């Protein structure tokens, strides 16, 4: 039953403010509650001094997850493996800070402030950026601002496949084609032109392509299963929730619980983690994020194929039913 114009008007008046309120909550609440929550950091050095430093960090209940290392070299390896965001090396000269601005400039600054606040008055804490952000993008602005366009590209691909009435294998091929094209073009812009990504070119292109597919396929799959409203549901999940929950502008461990965890289970958050790993850390800790994106892509393509079969079943049976009517009438 179609809705009357008055009911449609009431629907618009009620729906738009709800969506705007949801978007404001999703974007503003995590940003307003940014603080460390079990943020992995390392401490290396002699036991008594390192123990006292660890105690000071643990006084901020739940803020930091402490990893102990025997030497500065071991702490550096942990940073490069993305086990910790940074480390404090304690020696006779005092504390020294190891950071990785490529893992998140906001976290690097937060660690610097935390260590400096605990150092003796007038003592400058030396800082070594073990994995530095690229000189062309020292604040990580390009990477953090790239996730939203990729999410929009994925939603647009899923919507286009649906509105153009592509089904089954054709829909899957179109989604794959768009993902590959966006991966190549986006990498050409962010790596070759802007120099904001500095890892293996093809790995970056693959990560971006997988991101677009992991977003576009579920959108098209939802639409294939439940109709056009599936596009809106997919956009709500990927853009209005996935993007602000991704933690790409700071770190997942700086978002309110359980937002940070949820964000990493959605394609935008997994994409941010995967791109950091392949671009700056030689693929370290990339497995979990790649698996998350792969699961979304596979489930989305499966839904597209299943929905395509359901869509083609009705036209095949319609002539049979119509052919029976004359026989029954006779």
């Amino acid at each position: 039953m179609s809705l009357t114009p008055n009911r449609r008007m009431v629907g618009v008046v009620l729906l738009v403010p709800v969506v705007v309120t949801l978007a404001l909550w999703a974007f503003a609440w995590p940003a307003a509650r940014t603080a460390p929550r079990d943020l992995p950091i390392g401490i290396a050095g002699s036991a008594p001094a390192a123990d006292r430093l660890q105690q000071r960090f643990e006084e901020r209940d739940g803020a930091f997850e402490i990893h102990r290392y025997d030497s500065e070299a071991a702490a550096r390896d942990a940073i490069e493996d993305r086990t910790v965001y940074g480390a404090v090396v304690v020696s006779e000269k005092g504390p020294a800070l190891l950071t990785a601005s490529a893992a998140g400039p906001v976290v690097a600054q937060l660690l610097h402030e935390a260590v400096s606040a605990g150092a003796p008055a007038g003592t400058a804490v030396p800082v070594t950026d073990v994995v530095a952000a690229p000189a062309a993008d020292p604040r990580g602005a390009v990477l953090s601002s790239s996730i939203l366009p990729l999410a929009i590209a994925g939603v647009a691909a899923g919507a286009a496949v649906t509105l153009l009435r592509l089904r089954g294998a054709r829909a899957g091929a179109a989604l794959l084609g768009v993902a590959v094209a966006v991966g190549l073009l986006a990498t050409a812009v962010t790596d070759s032109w802007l120099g904001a990504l500095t890892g293996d070119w093809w790995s970056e292109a693959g990560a971006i392509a997988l991101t677009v597919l992991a977003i576009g396929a579920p959108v098209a799959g939802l639409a294939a299963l439940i109709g056009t409203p599936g596009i809106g549901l997919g956009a709500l999940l990927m853009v209005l929730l996935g993007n602000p929950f991704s933690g790409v502008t700071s770190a997942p461990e700086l978002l309110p619980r359980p937002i940070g965890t949820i964000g990493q289970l959605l394609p935008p958050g997994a994409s941010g983690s995967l791109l950091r790993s392949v671009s700056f850390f030689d693929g370290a800790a990339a497995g979990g994020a790649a698996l998350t994106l792969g699961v979304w892509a596979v489930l989305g393509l499966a839904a597209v194929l299943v929905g395509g079969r359901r869509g083609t079943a009705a036209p095949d049976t319609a002539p049979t039913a119509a052919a029976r009517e004359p026989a029954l009438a006779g």
Side-chain angles (χ1 to χ4, degrees):
M1 182 178 66
S2 60
L3 296 177
T4 64
N6 287 338
R7 289 183 177 180
R8 290 198 295 268
M9 180 191 70
V10 172
V12 169
V13 171
L14 295 177
L15 181 61
V16 171
V18 170
V19 172
V20 170
T21 302
L22 176 62
L24 182 62
W25 166 80
F27 280 85
W29 177 53
R33 297 292 185 268
T34 298
R37 297 170 176 87
D38 290 326
L39 184 72
I41 63 170
I43 295 178
S46 58
D51 289 343
R52 288 194 296 271
L53 180 62
Q54 179 175 347
Q55 184 177 4
R56 286 204 300 269
F57 276 111
E58 289 177 344
E59 288 175 357
R60 299 179 61 176
D61 188 31
F64 298 99
E65 176 186 288
I66 306 299
H67 296 246
R68 293 291 294 268
Y69 301 101
D70 295 330
S71 65
E72 178 179 343
R76 285 176 174 267
D77 290 341
I79 293 172
E80 293 171 350
D81 291 339
R82 300 204 72 185
T83 302
V84 296
Y85 281 92
V88 184
V89 180
V90 183
S91 66
E92 296 178 355
K93 299 179 181 179
L97 178 62
L98 305 178
T99 63
S101 58
V106 174
V107 177
Q109 180 62 33
L110 183 150
L111 291 178
H112 185 223
E113 293 173 356
V115 175
S116 298
T123 302
V125 177
V127 179
T128 302
D129 203 347
V130 177
V131 185
D137 186 30
R139 297 181 181 178
V142 173
L143 189 149
S144 61
S145 62
S146 297
I147 301 303
L148 179 57
L150 294 181
I152 293 174
V155 172
V161 163
T162 302
L163 298 178
L164 293 175
R165 298 183 181 179
L166 298 177
R167 296 183 180 277
R170 287 189 179 88
L175 291 167
L176 286 169
V178 169
V180 171
V182 172
L184 296 175
L185 293 174
T187 306
V189 171
T190 55
D191 185 312
S192 302
W193 178 34
L194 297 177
L197 303 182
T198 58
D200 178 73
W201 200 95
W202 292 104
S203 297
E204 294 166 354
I208 293 174
L210 182 58
T211 296
V212 175
L213 183 62
I215 295 173
V219 171
L222 284 171
L225 294 176
I226 66 176
T228 305
I231 298 175
L233 182 59
L236 177 70
L237 182 64
M238 301 298 181
V239 178
L240 288 186
L241 295 182
N243 189 69
F245 289 6
S246 67
V248 70
T249 59
S250 55
E253 293 85 356
L254 298 186
L255 300 180
R257 296 188 181 98
I259 296 302
T261 301
I262 294 173
Q264 293 304 296
L265 297 176
L266 295 174
S271 173
S273 296
L274 180 59
L275 276 175
R276 287 194 191 280
S277 291
V278 300
S279 298
F280 310 125
F281 294 88
D282 294 326
L291 177 61
T292 298
L293 292 173
V295 169
W296 278 98
V298 169
L299 291 178
L301 290 173
V304 167
L305 295 176
V306 171
R309 291 180 179 179
R310 289 174 54 187
T312 56
D316 292 339
T317 57
T320 303
R324 289 176 180 173
E325 291 183 0
L328 292 174

